[in-house]
Amino acid sequence: MDHFIQLENFPKIAPYAELFWQGTLVTVLLALFTVIIGFCLALILALMRMSNIRPFRALGLDSDGHPREQGFLALLSRFNPLSFIATAYVEIIRSTPALVQIFIIYYGVFSIVDLPSFQLFGFIRFDRFFPGVVALGMNSGAYLCEIIRSGIQSIDSGQTEAARSLGLSQGQNLRYIILPQAIKNILPAIANEFVVIIKESAVTYTIGVQDIMSAVNAVRGASFIIVEPLLVATAIYFCLCFPTSKAIAYVERRMSRGDKR
Amino acid sequence: MATRDSMIQVTDLKKHYKGGAIKALDGVTVDINKGDVIAVIGPSGSGKSTFLRSLNLLEEPTGGSIIFKGIDITRKKYKNAEGKTVKLNIDELRQKMGMVFQHFNLFPHMTILDNMTLAPMKVKGLSKDEAEKKALDLLDRVGLKDRADAYPIQLSGGQKQRVAIVRALAMEPEVMLFDEPTSALDPEMVGEVLDVMKELAEEGMTMVVVTHEMGFAREVGNRLLFMADGRLLEQGDPKELFDNPQNPRLQDFLSKVL
């Protein structure tokens, strides 16, 4: 008689506990490095998107020195290549599956680039782990970029006006006025992204990263048991994500207390 | 009036949107002299705020000129004394024009003292001690010295606006721009802010004040501008204009607000 869950299978997969433990460590490390890389990339992307570098700016002025209001030249004068590149990157990443991006990075980019094959902590294969981090980092960078950008843009424009009218430059305004206020709004969202990446990182088993999912696969291959290892994986993911998001929500509530103007 | 030093000359100032379909400012010409206290009144949507915000380029005009300290600040470049073309440094000009906003715009993540010392230290390069001494002196003048270590959230609206005024004064501006400074205040707090502004006017500060406080416009201002539809329809001595308005739009406006 077949049951969905067969309790006698759990003792059978017990010998593979070490694999699950290692997989959990890999998943957490993967998420941690991904968030760090993703955040750095996102900060650069967000600044690019909000930059005001216009190489054809001069074309937007008429012979009188006043800005043109419309027409092709006015359009061209507003063209910002940095912002265009960043926007294109963000939109492409957000409109394609993470799995496809990971395959392109692993089978495309890292088939050309040779990675040293050594093992971190004696069991993490660097030549699999590193492409996984790069691919996930590039993916979450696009999402984090939007989080950072909206965090910065959520600051009342009156703050910038006050700062600029006091004579602060654009950079000083960003550094002393906008970012300190924006970071507070952004931090919980970044922590949330950490939780999202823990879950999302499951796809990296497809390129041989030994995360939790790859432990499931290994157990299946060795013992032909499938449902019970999956349940173990479910439990691990839940135990990682649920407390983390609850902790974030708590910190978020604490921080928003002093928020009223 | 003609003998006084001109501070800002505004000529045919225009701010058009959508290729001229919307004219927020439609040719405003006015001379602002040193020591002037100019009240700008008019119905909402008349372009008063746009005019004020154009003076320190928070709004970029689309036509006309604003001559401040001999330089047309509406252009990105100008010729200096040696005839060289140099880029306009807008940050430098804005230091000399203090601005006070309707919604105070204090920096909520900083104490009152830090709000006041930030720009003098970062822009003018004052030392922390110098900046703080000056900030405390100014706060003392508006009766808020004991709130120096408070955060903006802990202050009442009137207190916030008084801080905003002295924060701008800490940069030692040559002209102060007020954008409806009492419109967001509870009625009982309007007086304390107007008193500070009145004191400032008596000390000879050049001021341009967009306001709905007709009493202030009449008593403190030495000139009154009446704007409607992006145009300057009438200007002159406040008492004369209030008692004997010529333009029908001004007559209509005054009959509604007085």
Side-chain angles (χ1 to χ4, degrees):
Chain A
M1 195 180 76
D2 271 2
H3 287 288
F4 172 54
I5 302 167
Q6 294 175 313
L7 287 177
E8 67 268 26
N9 273 343
F10 282 108
K12 287 186 198 160
I13 61 172
Y16 304 100
E18 178 79 9
L19 271 182
F20 280 105
W21 162 240
Q22 291 179 350
T24 306
L25 192 64
V26 170
T27 294
V28 170
L29 285 177
L30 202 59
L32 208 60
F33 282 117
T34 298
V35 168
I36 293 168
I37 291 183
F39 179 75
C40 296
L41 178 66
L43 197 62
I44 296 168
L45 286 170
L47 290 178
M48 279 169 75
R49 282 198 77 163
M50 291 183 301
S51 70
N52 195 20
I53 294 163
R54 295 174 292 162
F56 308 114
R57 185 194 300 253
L59 295 177
L61 298 177
D62 56 24
S63 53
D64 210 24
H66 289 302
R68 286 180 212 275
E69 288 157 46
Q70 52 183 3
F72 175 69
L73 285 178
L75 223 63
L76 190 62
S77 75
R78 282 197 288 273
F79 177 68
N80 177 341
L82 284 185
S83 167
F84 179 80
I85 291 167
T87 308
Y89 177 85
V90 168
E91 295 303 341
I92 289 170
I93 293 285
R94 294 207 301 178
S95 314
T96 51
L99 187 63
V100 175
Q101 294 159 15
I102 287 168
F103 277 9
I104 288 179
I105 294 295
Y106 182 68
Y107 294 110
V109 179
F110 285 101
S111 67
I112 304 164
V113 183
D114 255 344
L115 286 173
S117 49
F118 61 92
Q119 309 218 327
L120 295 164
F121 305 116
F123 64 91
I124 302 175
R125 291 176 58 184
F126 183 75
D127 57 347
R128 304 292 171 105
F129 184 77
F130 185 73
V133 166
V134 169
L136 284 177
M138 287 179 64
N139 178 276
S140 78
Y143 289 93
L144 283 171
C145 166
E146 291 308 278
I147 290 171
I148 292 176
R149 195 171 65 105
S150 65
I152 288 176
Q153 287 177 344
S154 72
I155 305 300
D156 179 29
S157 62
Q159 293 287 306
T160 296
E161 291 182 356
R164 297 306 302 276
S165 75
L166 285 166
L168 271 80
S169 69
Q170 210 176 343
Q172 287 173 322
N173 173 41
L174 198 65
R175 180 166 159 208
Y176 298 114
I177 308 300
I178 303 303
L179 281 182
Q181 296 184 60
I183 291 286
K184 208 169 134 181
N185 301 345
I186 294 169
L187 271 182
I190 289 176
N192 267 326
E193 180 71 9
F194 178 70
V195 172
V196 170
I197 293 167
I198 288 179
K199 294 180 283 175
E200 202 123 279
S201 68
V203 292
T204 56
Y205 93 92
T206 55
I207 60 166
V209 178
Q210 303 121 302
D211 72 337
I212 299 171
M213 273 313 284
S214 112
V216 173
N217 253 18
V219 174
R220 187 185 61 175
S223 65
F224 304 105
I225 304 171
I226 174 69
V227 176
E228 289 76 10
L230 277 173
L231 287 177
V232 173
T234 307
I236 295 174
Y237 279 120
F238 183 82
C239 289
L240 286 177
C241 295
F242 182 72
T244 314
S245 42
K246 283 292 154 197
I248 295 165
Y250 175 73
V251 173
E252 211 175 346
R253 270 201 308 279
R254 286 289 303 269
M255 286 203 331
S256 66
R257 258 182 221 168
D259 238 14
K260 283 164 278 163
R261 298 240 161 102
Chain B
M1 286 245 288
T3 56
R4 282 201 277 173
D5 302 336
S6 171
M7 178 76 92
I8 306 174
Q9 279 174 287
V10 181
T11 312
D12 197 28
L13 196 66
K14 291 191 173 98
K15 172 78 182 178
H16 291 182
Y17 297 98
K18 298 184 178 165
I22 298 166
K23 296 172 177 164
L25 283 181
D26 195 15
V28 173
T29 301
V30 62
D31 266 8
I32 300 166
N33 298 316
K34 205 167 173 354
D36 267 352
V37 177
I38 297 179
V40 186
I41 60 169
S44 56
S46 59
K48 320 182 286 287
S49 280
T50 310
F51 166 70
L52 192 79
R53 291 158 56 84
S54 296
L55 292 180
N56 71 351
L57 296 197
L58 285 182
E59 302 275 355
E60 240 178 294
T62 50
S65 66
I66 302 168
I67 313 278
F68 178 60
K69 300 180 81 67
I71 298 165
D72 182 356
I73 61 173
T74 63
R75 317 216 170 181
K76 307 280 179 204
K77 287 174 180 154
Y78 66 96
K79 281 193 167 50
N80 67 5
E82 291 113 58
K84 266 191 195 159
T85 304
V86 286
K87 236 180 121 182
L88 180 82
N89 186 342
I90 186 60
D91 299 333
E92 227 165 73
L93 286 164
R94 282 192 179 127
Q95 294 172 42
K96 296 176 181 126
M97 297 191 189
M99 182 136 185
V100 176
F101 301 87
Q102 182 178 356
H103 296 288
F104 330 126
N105 297 349
L106 296 181
F107 307 132
H109 59 302
M110 295 180 180
T111 63
I112 300 307
L113 193 63
D114 289 340
N115 260 278
M116 293 191 58
T117 54
L118 178 75
M121 282 164 61
K122 299 299 173 195
V123 179
K124 281 192 145 180
L126 258 60
S127 74
K128 194 174 163 66
D129 285 349
E130 288 173 301
E132 284 186 353
K133 185 181 175 300
K134 193 168 182 192
L136 289 171
D137 282 350
L138 282 164
L139 282 174
D140 200 19
R141 270 181 53 183
V142 293
L144 289 171
K145 195 175 179 180
D146 55 330
R147 306 311 306 273
D149 294 322
Y151 282 87
I153 185 177
Q154 298 166 295
L155 267 53
S156 73
Q159 290 175 327
K160 282 185 207 171
Q161 195 61 298
R162 282 186 277 159
V163 169
I165 293 173
V166 286
R167 178 177 71 176
L169 288 177
M171 290 300 285
E172 298 181 330
E174 294 174 24
V175 50
M176 286 283 285
L177 311 174
F178 294 84
D179 191 3
E180 302 196 20
T182 57
S183 298
L185 294 177
D186 289 340
E188 80 268 22
M189 293 172 183
V190 170
E192 61 189 76
V193 171
L194 289 182
D195 285 345
V196 172
M197 292 169 60
K198 200 170 161 185
E199 218 174 280
L200 203 56
E202 281 160 3
E203 286 166 18
M205 174 61 80
T206 311
M207 294 162 62
V208 183
V209 187
V210 170
T211 187
H212 293 296
E213 293 294 324
M214 295 304 149
F216 179 86
R218 185 189 168 107
E219 301 309 326
V220 183
N222 73 330
R223 276 166 72 199
L224 187 74
L225 309 186
F226 172 69
M227 289 184 67
D229 305 329
R231 291 168 171 279
L232 182 57
L233 292 187
E234 201 159 346
Q235 62 168 312
D237 180 76
K239 291 182 184 69
E240 266 170 40
L241 285 194
F242 272 112
D243 294 339
N244 191 15
Q246 298 301 315
N247 189 298
R249 291 291 297 270
L250 179 56
Q251 288 168 356
D252 180 53
F253 177 72
L254 289 178
S255 75
K256 281 177 185 149
V257 297
L258 287 182

